[in-house]
């Protein structure tokens, strides 16, 4: 079955507690080639203020998302995360710094952003690097990935 042009068949749908527009703008400011795609306003029959944004559609580097102002009933948790594949340490430092701002680091490249969404900021070569048990041991001690340290451990 084909998707309609401009509408991918599968789209992540994120539930926020009244701050979906703020979250979309925040994520758009971080990722290149990102943009707001559209919005649906509340006509009075949905949660939130009449005329306020009910859903906002946006793209992050070409991947479409929809964010809903659904209310406080549901929170993000560790069961779902988004992976940001990074070519080098500069990219890891950039995405880590932006996404963890107002949130909290977790471990091994994972973090929780200020909206409670989980992210994994990961080297694109992580699979190759972790073929070494010493690199795996080094990774287990990291919060934010250090590519040079993983490479040193993999080479030893």
């Amino acid at each position: 079955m084909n998707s309609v042009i401009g509408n991918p068949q599968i789209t992540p749908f994120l539930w926020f507690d009244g701050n979906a527009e703020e979250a979309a703008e925040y994520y758009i400011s971080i990722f290149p080639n990102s943009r707001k795609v559209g919005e649906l306003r509340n006509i009075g029959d949905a949660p939130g203020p009449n005329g306020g944004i009910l859903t906002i559609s946006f793209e992050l580097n070409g991947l479409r998302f929809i964010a809903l102002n659904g209310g406080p009933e549901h929170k993000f948790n560790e069961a779902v995360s988004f992976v940001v594949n990074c070519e080098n340490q500069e990219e890891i430092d950039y995405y880590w710094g932006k996404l963890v701002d107002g949130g909290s680091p977790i471990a091994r490249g994972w973090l929780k952003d200020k909206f409670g969404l989980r992210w994994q900021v990961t080297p694109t070569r992580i699979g190759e690097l972790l073929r070494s048990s010493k690199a795996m041991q080094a990774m287990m001690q990291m919060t934010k990935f250090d590519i040079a340290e993983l490479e040193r451990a993999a080479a030893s």
Side-chain angles (χ1 to χ4, degrees), residues 44-113:
D45 296 327
N50 191 9
I53 288 183
L54 180 60
T55 64
I56 184 164
S57 301
F58 58 102
E59 289 180 357
L60 300 181
N61 219 359
L63 178 62
R64 176 85 48 102
F65 290 81
I66 299 173
L68 167 73
N69 280 324
E73 292 84 13
H74 303 288
K75 304 288 184 203
F76 296 121
N77 65 43
E78 295 80 5
V80 174
S81 64
F82 294 98
V83 177
V84 181
N85 290 302
C86 300
E87 292 294 326
N88 54 48
Q89 192 65 45
E90 182 180 0
E91 284 187 358
I92 286 176
D93 294 345
Y94 170 79
Y95 288 113
W96 182 272
K98 293 288 186 179
L99 291 167
V100 81
D101 185 25
S104 58
I106 300 173
R108 295 174 290 286
W110 290 64
L111 63 88
K112 179 172 69 171
D113 73 19

Side-chain angles (χ1 to χ4, degrees), residues 85 122-132 135-136 139 150:
N85 290 302
T122 307
T124 55
R125 298 177 39 229
I126 194 69
E128 171 192 333
L129 291 167
L130 295 182
R131 289 187 183 128
S132 158
M136 179 66 79
M139 183 206 61
L150 289 170

Side-chain angles (χ1 to χ4, degrees), residues 37 43 52 71-72 82 87 121:
V37 176
I43 58 172
F82 294 98
E87 292 294 326
V121 181

Side-chain angles (χ1 to χ4, degrees), residues 105-156:
I106 300 173
R108 295 174 290 286
W110 290 64
L111 63 88
K112 179 172 69 171
D113 73 19
K114 66 183 177 180
F115 299 101
L117 195 57
R118 276 42 171 208
W119 297 84
Q120 298 177 57
V121 181
T122 307
T124 55
R125 298 177 39 229
I126 194 69
E128 171 192 333
L129 291 167
L130 295 182
R131 289 187 183 128
S132 158
S133 64
K134 288 189 178 185
M136 179 66 79
Q137 291 170 3
M139 183 206 61
M140 297 302 285
Q141 303 304 311
M142 293 180 181
T143 302
K144 178 179 78 171
F145 280 116
D146 180 331
I147 294 174
E149 181 60 30
L150 289 170
E151 289 171 337
R152 278 191 292 278
S156 64

